Amino acid sequence: MVIYYIETPPPSLLSWTPPPFNCIKINVDAAHSDLKASIAAVARNHDGVVIKVWAKSIPLFSPIQAEATAILWAAQLAISETWTNIIIEGDAKLCFDALSSTPSSANWSIMNIIDNIKSLTPSFVSCTFLWVRRLCNIPAHTAAKLALATDFSFCFSSNILPPPLRLACMADCPLVS
C-alpha cells in the first residue's frame, strides 16, 4: 500500500526534525549559477544520523527545474537503496505544491518531472513529500553549493563527510556528532 501525501510544516518549525522510526528522511536542494547547476540529497535516519550525502552536477535548467530534478533524484536514490518508508523534504515550495496539486495547476516547466516523481511512489510502502523552510534544509543546501563550487559529483557516508557538510549536519541536529 502506498501512502502518498504532502504536508506543510507548522510555521513554528525552525530546525530539522528526525523522521519517525523505520523511516528515512531525504533532504534535497539545488544550486545554480549562470553557467551550471547541481543537486544534492542528504539521507538521515530516525536518530538524525547521516546515512549518505549525494551531490552531482546537472545540465543548466531553470531553478525550479533543478529543484524538481533533485526531488526526482532523491526518489530514485531511495529505490536504489531499497528504502521503503521515506520522507523527501526540501525548500522549493513551488515543487512541493506541484506534487500536491492537479497537473494542470503545476508550473508547465516541471510538469513532466512531477509526473515522473509521482510514477515512482508505488515503489514505496510510504512516501511523503514535505516542504520546509530553508532553515530546516541547510545540509542539503550546503552539499548542493559544494558540488556547484567543485564541479565534482560525490557520495559520502557519515564517517567521511567533508568539514562544511559535517558542520552543517551537526548544527542541524546537535544531538548527533
Side-chain angles (χ1 to χ4, degrees), residues 30-48:
H32 59 89
S33 68
D34 291 339
L35 304 174
K36 55 188 176 177
S38 64
I39 56 176
V42 177
R44 293 194 244 185
N45 68 13
H46 65 276
D47 290 323

Side-chain angles (χ1 to χ4, degrees), residues 77-150:
L77 290 168
I79 290 168
S80 72
E81 294 287 335
T82 65
W83 296 330
T84 57
N85 298 298
I86 65 165
I87 297 169
I88 298 177
E89 187 173 87
D91 57 24
K93 187 156 177 34
L94 288 175
C95 294
F96 286 92
D97 286 350
L99 282 162
S100 67
S101 66
T102 56
S104 62
S105 63
N107 180 303
W108 69 268
S109 69
I110 61 169
M111 285 175 58
N112 189 46
I113 302 168
I114 296 299
D115 287 343
N116 288 335
I117 295 165
K118 288 180 178 181
S119 75
L120 296 178
T121 59
S123 302
F124 304 103
V125 172
S126 69
C127 180
T128 303
F129 297 96
L130 178 63
W131 170 79
V132 293
R133 298 178 191 320
R134 168 67 58 86
L135 189 58
C136 303
N137 204 40
I138 299 298
H141 180 71
T142 302
K145 289 285 193 184
L146 184 60
L148 187 67
T150 62

